[in-house]
Amino acid sequence: MIDRSLTLRLLSASTLALAFAQPALAQDVDSSDTEATGAEQADDGALDVIVVTANRREENLQDVAVSAATISADAARAIFDAGADTTALAGRVPGLFVESSNGRAAPRFYIRGLGNTDFDLAASQPVSVVMDEVVLENVTLKSFPIFDVERIEVLRGPQGTLFGRNTPAGIVKIDTVKPGDEFEVNGSASVGSFNSIAIDGGVTIPIAPGLASIRLSGLWQQRDDWIDNGFTGEEDAYGAYSDIAGRAQLLITPTDRLSILGSYSVRDLDGTSTLFRANIVGPGTNDLNENYDRDTVFFDAGGGNQAQYKAEIATGKIDYEADFATFTSITSFASSEGSSRGDIDGGFGASFLPVMGPGFIPFPSDTQDSIELDQFTQEVRIASNSGGAFEWQVGGFYFDSDFDVTTVGFDFPPPVTVNHTNESWAVFGQVTTEVTEALKLTGGVRYTDDQKDFFVRDAADPQARSVSDERISWDLAAFYELSADASVYARVASGFRAPTIQGRDVAFFAAPSIATSEKIMSYEAGVKSELFDRRVRFNLAGYYYTIEDPQFSAVGGAGNLVQLVNAEKGRGYGFELDSAFQVTPDFLLTAGVSWNDTKIQDENLAVGICAQCTVLDPIVNIAGTDRALVDGNPFPNAPEWIADVSARYAIPVTSDGEIFAYTDWTYQGETSFFLYDSFEYVTDPQIEGGLRVGYAKFDGSLEVALFARNITDEDNVKGGIDFNNNTAFVNDPRVFGVSVRFNY
């Protein structure tokens, strides 16, 4: 076994050292970024072209019949300036929401209101994260840090034809910078409040131009402890983290037709897991109360609330371009191991002990979850070479994962380890044809076979469970060019999330729960336009979807269980608007907004409720336990409104540079955390903003700036724990700092 920690540190250190040691060799700046915070606009003052790979080939976003949005490399760096994790992507494009109750280790993604609130490390999600064409299925892999990226794409709506099951909501697709034939070094470094440090860099070194090159890239994010423990009196006890990641890539091109790309990525996270805060909301309201102090928690347990995770991803990609088509093979191995522990009740003592607080603590809760995971994927594709009136691709996919999840209570429950395996294979195909010069039709189909197995290790009763399903997903789209500046499209797509087994409740002496496949049918239509010599971009999509047997996780309740349930039906509809305005060559404005209405449709679905909050749904008593009827409620963690806006204004001050100001803001509408409706666990609208002011060279080679994240220091509740008391957790604090970016 390779010493991943040593390899990681050597790779990251060498990458960052090379990045900061190289001489300034100016070169052209890539014009694919669409939300530039530095001086990266097109020479003619028009908006940059957005390239997406929604159809597994590079295309102009304006020519693709799907609702999609991108986050450029430069915009991503602005988001992560203060050392933020993957959840900072929430609200960065319309329809996208991300949250986590596992700190930096296990994010949960939602698109168009579809996601999964399950906090367990075995949770299944309907949003797929794909990095460099490799699906990151488990939640701990989805937290892999985002660095040295070319772009981030968000594909909204079912993507089951080309990307497989477990994509009924959509995909977050991350493409990193690849090796090339020219020497290149770029990156960013920032320092800020709480001794926050974020360094992201990469260097491409041609070994033999035209034959072989390597790219080394690395990330280091860290922050010091800054939160006091009001119970023990310890100052600066929590809040620190160190997140280090590295990537090495080798590209070999023996001929003009053949390319071989090998990649090895590693990560080492050591930090504070989510800090739960007892009774900071309610009762009878969702306002933060006198128990809340951003700089203080009151813990008597949790072992320091530590989170420690390691991960590695190894990938080999082969492309061979024949006369009629390109053959592609992608093989990947991934592993993840680690644990996180927390004082789950968020306070100290209990009702039966001499002390307790803040507020009423019925009983203490201190648990740790850990995982050991291995994943293997293999994909092969044959795709017609682009440029013809008829394009096609066919392929096959194989997925296999095996992991253990261990739950430990201090002092309850006793340690329990469960094993999950998942084997899936699929074949797929897609064709696109130009019926006329203006009309293009695309159709695709995929057959998937999925098998999951579960058992309890080291138990007299292993409680073995197995689920399987085989399904056909398909989509059909029409794209019509009204003029050189505007097009309309319509798309119908089906998809499904494979059946799921949840076994965390075994630790609490309950049986595993099972959810059957959820099936989605989505209808979408939109308009895409670039006006006034591509100085205005206006993309609008409307959608309606229905789900049969939607999978939900009934999380918490007074029994502290995680039960998988299938509702009878669900539906959602809304719209997404993405726009950009190059007002002047020195003033760029982007804005996006989504409205989403979701509804659970099941008159008989009853779920467990909170221990102390005020439930607004009808209550029924089933076998001596009060439960809430949730028919008509919105999906959990599905904000009705999401909006984002950014603006950059520059003033040239020299022949080669300018002073600029850049600001970006996100808005999250009212959001319900759980399946049931309550006063305490529905947030009011939230807003967060960032600011950068600095100097940038026109050629993009250098930028120096002052920055602030969460500049208005908003205290926003991001999630809750309901089984014991009215516990919640909040967003990151305001961070000020200075950053340097370079590109040579």
Side-chain angles (χ1 to χ4, degrees), residues 603-684:
E603 295 181 354
N604 300 313
L605 182 58
V607 301
I609 59 175
C610 50
Q612 298 186 45
C613 73
T614 310
V615 178
L616 303 177
D617 294 318
I619 302 296
V620 294
N621 189 279
I622 300 176
T625 302
D626 285 342
R627 301 194 179 273
L629 294 171
V630 298
D631 181 49
N633 285 355
F635 299 167
N637 280 328
E640 187 173 6
W641 290 95
I642 291 176
D644 66 280
V645 62
S646 72
R648 183 185 186 277
Y649 183 73
I651 301 174
V653 292
T654 67
S655 60
D656 62 356
E658 61 190 10
I659 294 175
F660 73 91
Y662 171 84
T663 186
D664 62 299
W665 295 81
T666 62
Y667 173 86
Q668 173 191 329
E670 183 179 283
T671 306
S672 178
F673 294 152
F674 301 114
L675 289 170
Y676 60 82
D677 187 19
S678 71
F679 279 130
E680 292 81 359
Y681 290 119
V682 177
T683 70
D684 291 331

Side-chain angles (χ1 to χ4, degrees), residues 263-319:
S263 173
Y264 177 67
S265 304
V266 283
R267 181 212 193 169
D268 190 340
L269 167 65
D270 186 356
T272 301
S273 61
T274 298
L275 297 175
F276 305 114
R277 300 166 183 264
N279 295 305
I280 64 171
V281 292
T285 176
N286 60 3
D287 292 336
L288 290 166
N289 58 34
E290 66 278 2
N291 293 326
Y292 172 72
D293 178 353
R294 181 186 282 282
D295 300 323
T296 307
V297 294
F298 298 86
F299 291 170
D300 62 352
N305 271 54
Q306 287 188 328
Q308 296 177 319
Y309 284 88
K310 299 180 186 293
E312 61 182 334
I313 305 170
T315 302
K317 181 182 179 184
I318 301 173
D319 286 298

Side-chain angles (χ1 to χ4, degrees), residues 71 79 85-93 96-99 108-110 642-644 665-668 718:
I71 301 171
I79 295 170
D85 62 10
T86 309
T87 58
L89 295 176
R92 298 299 166 181
V93 302
L96 175 65
F97 183 63
V98 193
E99 52 88 22
R108 299 185 285 261
F109 290 79
Y110 306 75
I642 291 176
D644 66 280
W665 295 81
T666 62
Y667 173 86
Q668 173 191 329
K718 308 308 292 184

